[in-house]
Amino acid sequence: MEELLMHTKGYEVLRNPFLNKGTGFTLSERTALGLTGTLPSQVQTIDEQAEQAYQQFQSKTTPLEKRIFLMTLFNENITLFYHLMAQHVTEFMPIVYDPVVADSIEQYNEIFTNPQNATFLSVDRPEDIKESLMNAADGRDIKLVVVTDAEGILGMGDWGVNGVDIAVGKLMVYTAASGIDPANVLPISIDAGTNNQTLLANKRYLGNKHVRIAGDAYLEFIDQFVTAEQELFPESLLHWEDFGRANAQVILDKYKNKSATFNDDIQGTGMIVLAGVFGALNISKERLIDQTFVTFGAGTAGMGIVNQIFTELQEAGLSVEEAKKHFYLVDKQGLLFDDMSDLTVAQKPFARTRDEFSHAEKLTTLSAVVKEIKPTVLIGTSTQPGTFTEEIVKEMATHTARPIIFPLSNPTKLAEATAENLIQWTDGKALVATGIPASNVEYKGVTYHIGQGNNALIYPGLGFGLVVSTAKLLTQKTISAAIHALGGLVDSDQAGAAVLPPVSNLTEFSQKIAEVTVQSVLDQDLNREKISDAKQAVRDAKWSANY
Ligand SMILES: NC(=O)c1ccc[n+]([C@@H]2O[C@H](COP(=O)([O-])OP(=O)(O)OC[C@H]3O[C@@H](n4cnc5c(N)ncnc54)[C@H](O)[C@@H]3O)[C@@H](O)[C@H]2O)c1
Ligand SMILES: O=C(O)C[C@H](O)C(=O)O
Ligand SMILES: [Mn+2]
């Protein structure tokens, strides 16, 4: 950025959010940059600017207005935006990211503002991919890309071009949490069309007004995108977000052994859930190999979770067959059986056989499955609100001293249960994590802290570590190392302790995860460039939101 600043003058500086300091430019900077007379005479510190901006933020009455204010601030002055976010990370996370990002995606066309330096790639114009990436990068050194095609935005389905805001939000969390330089990142929307009829009928819809292209034509476009991205930014990490169930795993499998790439919904979610389960087991003093898992919603996230825990069980000494026996997958059909014709590739290995049960035909609801299986862990990634009912939760608590229950579907309106209900229905026994932030629950004189079981607690540290280490690939070894770094951070002896560390400590634990990630990459000799000290490398790479 320093170099860019030397070549940019006058209003161009003020209009460039990477360079702009507004009233923070000193008098000598104003002289050197041709800004004399373009700003009022007072020079403000960044803290004075942040205080003023925070007052304005607080004057906004709805969460969406707060978000629009912050996005406008980002468009004007990125350093100030992150300086302010660092001071209010717990308050800003739900505004910049989930759940308010969901409102902004739903109303994207109506509230459209300058789009936070995102890149828009249209499936109708593959010939523009390279030029689009170059225009959006604008000479910056891109080391991290978050890309979405928005077919599966949170649990809300297909949101077409509007989904770009999830890529923007994920990257804002990256910088706030890990300190990756915002000049090194790029949010990308792949506009493959949309099957959302409401959007197609909306005259204001800003994306391609046709149904999604699918099959080979779609995968060919993705391939052209990956090729161009790798050619332009050869050392970058490619993070995939909110792709549809049919494509997410296929894309990951295609590229994971070729370059540094990561699917947040599959891998990030698997990581955070296993870390949360470890946190819960630290509290209950139980072992992973003694748990029985029911996963409700065996889609992208559900199968990412199952596979991560499955791998860990094998690392704990179980055979493949023994480890598989710990999982019961429930989806729309009920318990998944191996004779079903509509299983996904990911579901197949974990489907059960009917002869394991005396009345297999009755296991078509979550309630019937919980009664039959008596799980110790229940995980929700179903997009079906309120489905962890009082009856189901109480049934689970009858058979399990400390039931682990994670309703993870986002945003708020899709959660399988609230933390408050889970604590009340189990008389304080449930060990809970929720996808969106949850307030403390006061119950019978104990304050229960609720961990946020959201991949945002892990992907920033992991991704930053991969970037800092110049990793060629992301391996299961590195994933495991990062999970264990986070899983060991809870204060399990406190009554009402959370299963995951609080978002208020996000920057501290993201740094730890990044350090462990770098060390793991170095240990496997997967770094492109020479690095001698993992911790030092993370410290050196950290960007600070100051002038
Ligand atoms: N907390 C987190 O970190 C996190 C991470 C990823 C996803 N999620 C949430 O998980 C949910 C699912 O996301 P995804 O990417 O896996 O989507 P997905 O579409 O790939 O999977 C959803 C699954 O739920 C199943 N389902 C739908 N209706 C059902 C019903 N009535 N009963 C049982 N199963 C049903 C679908 O068939 C599908 O297999 C979303 O709400 C998303 O926000 C949370
Ligand atoms: O975006 C989130 O809040 C988590 C997750 O990636 C999701 O898709 O729900
Ligand atoms: Mn996601």
Side-chain angles (χ1 to χ4, degrees):
M1 280 297 124
E2 298 301 312
E3 202 183 316
L4 183 60
L5 196 53
M6 275 161 41
H7 297 104
T8 316
K9 289 270 179 303
Y11 281 117
E12 259 186 77
V13 178
L14 296 184
R15 288 192 195 112
N16 185 329
F18 294 99
L19 303 178
N20 188 23
K21 303 180 190 175
T23 55
F25 280 118
T26 63
L27 296 181
S28 57
E29 283 172 329
R30 294 179 191 195
T31 308
L33 294 169
L35 292 173
T36 305
T38 64
L39 292 160
S41 61
Q42 289 300 314
V43 174
Q44 288 185 299
T45 64
I46 197 164
D47 283 315
E48 286 167 342
Q49 290 179 312
E51 196 191 329
Q52 186 260 3
Y54 186 58
Q55 266 173 18
Q56 255 184 294
F57 170 84
Q58 285 178 307
S59 77
K60 308 292 171 196
T61 44
T62 69
L64 191 55
E65 282 169 10
K66 288 185 178 182
R67 184 183 158 87
I68 294 168
F69 171 75
L70 290 180
M71 294 304 117
T72 310
L73 179 63
F74 180 94
N75 283 338
E76 275 178 24
N77 183 338
I78 289 174
T79 312
L80 178 55
F81 168 88
Y82 283 113
H83 191 87
L84 189 61
M85 183 148 176
Q87 294 171 342
H88 307 280
V89 69
T90 311
E91 185 178 4
F92 281 16
M93 275 276 282
I95 303 281
V96 161
Y97 177 62
D98 194 10
V100 181
V101 70
D103 301 342
S104 93
I105 289 170
E106 287 177 340
Q107 295 176 53
Y108 188 76
N109 309 291
E110 288 68 30
I111 62 174
F112 182 80
T113 55
N114 201 357
Q116 290 83 39
N117 302 92
T119 320
F120 297 88
L121 303 179
S122 164
V123 77
D124 299 336
R125 299 195 57 84
E127 65 278 17
D128 288 351
I129 294 177
K130 214 165 157 185
E131 188 188 335
S132 307
L133 292 172
M134 282 163 65
N135 286 343
D138 195 22
R140 292 181 288 125
D141 180 11
I142 301 303
K143 297 182 179 169
L144 170 65
V145 162
V146 174
V147 61
T148 185
D149 80 345
E151 190 177 358
I153 287 292
L154 311 175
M156 312 187 308
D158 184 347
W159 281 90
V161 81
N162 300 22
V164 68
D165 274 0
I166 196 70
V168 169
K170 290 269 170 186
L171 280 168
M172 288 173 171
V173 175
Y174 256 114
T175 292
S178 73
I180 188 166
D181 186 337
N184 295 147
V185 311
L186 200 61
I188 298 180
S189 150
I190 288 183
D191 184 352
T194 180
N195 297 336
N196 180 330
Q197 294 305 320
T198 314
L199 284 185
L200 288 174
N202 179 349
K203 68 177 191 316
R204 291 211 172 89
Y205 180 53
L206 293 165
N208 286 329
K209 294 187 178 176
H210 58 69
V211 296
R212 269 180 192 277
I213 60 147
D216 289 346
Y218 171 84
L219 290 175
E220 172 58 26
F221 185 84
I222 296 289
D223 204 52
Q224 286 176 294
F225 158 66
V226 174
T227 305
E229 196 276 339
Q230 295 288 304
E231 194 184 319
L232 291 170
F233 319 123
E235 294 210 348
S236 64
L237 169 67
L238 187 46
H239 166 142
W240 307 86
E241 191 68 47
D242 289 357
F243 282 68
R245 190 178 85 166
N247 294 322
Q249 186 74 52
V250 172
I251 293 173
L252 179 62
D253 289 344
K254 186 160 173 187
Y255 299 105
K256 73 179 177 195
N257 296 323
K258 295 187 186 147
S259 57
T261 196
F262 167 71
N263 182 297
D264 188 35
D265 299 289
I266 299 173
Q267 296 168 301
T269 313
M271 293 173 76
I272 193 64
V273 170
L274 180 52
V277 168
F278 279 139
L281 297 176
N282 278 344
I283 296 170
S284 67
K285 315 281 182 233
E286 292 180 29
R287 299 183 308 173
L288 188 71
I289 55 169
D290 297 328
Q291 308 307 310
T292 306
F293 299 85
V294 165
T295 50
F296 185 57
T300 310
M303 292 318 302
I305 294 163
V306 166
N307 275 302
Q308 196 56 61
I309 301 172
F310 174 60
T311 303
E312 187 68 30
L313 285 172
Q314 290 170 69
E315 273 169 30
L318 301 194
S319 69
V320 169
E321 284 318 309
E322 282 169 337
K324 260 187 206 166
K325 288 193 188 131
H326 289 250
F327 300 96
Y328 295 85
L329 276 44
V330 182
D331 207 278
K332 279 181 189 153
Q333 308 94 313
L335 187 65
L336 297 186
F337 288 111
D338 58 2
D339 59 2
M340 291 173 168
S341 59
D342 50 357
L343 298 180
T344 66
V345 176
Q347 290 166 350
K348 268 186 191 145
F350 295 94
R352 313 294 301 207
T353 52
R354 287 189 191 268
D355 60 17
E356 292 175 54
F357 307 93
S358 48
H359 289 289
E361 75 286 355
K362 294 200 174 140
L363 300 177
T364 53
T365 62
L366 180 63
S367 166
V369 173
V370 167
K371 276 200 189 104
E372 173 77 21
I373 305 304
K374 303 184 178 45
T376 60
V377 183
L378 176 62
I379 294 176
T381 51
S382 66
T383 74
Q384 300 302 307
T387 41
F388 291 179
T389 61
E390 182 168 358
E391 180 224 333
I392 289 172
V393 170
K394 284 193 162 154
E395 165 71 22
M396 197 177 159
T398 313
H399 301 284
T400 306
R402 300 300 307 268
I404 298 174
I405 310 183
F406 292 179
L408 299 179
S409 286
N410 296 318
T412 319
K413 63 186 173 195
L414 298 182
E416 286 84 359
T418 63
E420 192 178 14
N421 277 339
L422 293 176
I423 298 293
Q424 287 165 350
W425 294 339
T426 60
D427 200 25
K429 293 198 295 184
L431 295 161
V432 179
T434 51
I436 32 107
S439 311
N440 292 344
V441 177
E442 303 293 337
Y443 181 75
K444 293 193 177 166
V446 178
T447 302
Y448 292 85
H449 299 267
I450 309 299
Q452 192 178 353
N454 191 300
N455 46 35
L457 274 79
I458 203 146
Y459 75 73
L462 176 81
F464 188 47
L466 293 171
V467 167
V468 170
S469 61
T470 66
K472 288 183 219 162
L473 294 175
L474 168 59
T475 63
Q476 181 54 43
K477 262 199 179 132
T478 302
I479 287 178
S480 291
I483 295 169
H484 285 273
L486 184 60
L489 288 179
V490 296
D491 179 9
S492 57
D493 293 328
Q494 191 87 20
V499 304
L500 285 162
V503 167
S504 54
N505 294 350
L506 186 65
T507 51
E508 287 81 7
F509 62 75
S510 294
Q511 172 156 343
K512 170 126 200 263
I513 296 165
E515 289 167 2
V516 167
T517 300
V518 175
Q519 191 58 57
S520 167
V521 171
L522 300 187
D523 291 346
Q524 294 169 83
D525 215 7
L526 283 171
N527 44 313
R528 293 169 203 264
E529 307 200 358
K530 197 174 168 328
I531 292 162
S532 41
D533 180 341
K535 286 189 179 170
Q536 192 58 42
V538 171
R539 268 198 299 274
D540 291 349
K542 231 176 153 165
W543 175 80
S544 125
N546 283 295
Y547 297 145

